Amino acid sequence: MINNDSIIFLVYDNKTACGFIQLYFSYSSLAISPTIILNDLYIIKSHKRCGVATH
């Protein structure tokens, strides 16, 4: 986070944080284009299988 090399999105249900995702930006020499790497995905147990990760 200090180097600004990733973005973190938080997921809220009402005013309660229920998950997050962390994305890193990179470059694919094979595809010759920028790419986004999903590094972390976390959903609290009470919200799993509710479609949070899909959204």
Side-chain angles (χ1 to χ4, degrees), residues 12-52:
Y12 288 91
D13 182 15
N14 293 317
K15 293 185 178 183
T16 304
C18 59
F20 74 89
I21 187 171
Q22 185 175 17
L23 303 175
Y24 282 93
F25 297 96
S26 186
Y27 187 82
S28 171
S29 59
L30 185 61
I32 310 173
S33 66
T35 186
I36 298 173
I37 300 168
L38 188 155
N39 192 59
D40 289 312
L41 171 64
Y42 177 78
I43 308 297
I44 61 173
K45 190 174 185 178
S46 61
H47 284 71
K48 289 186 177 177
R49 301 201 183 273
C50 295
V52 174

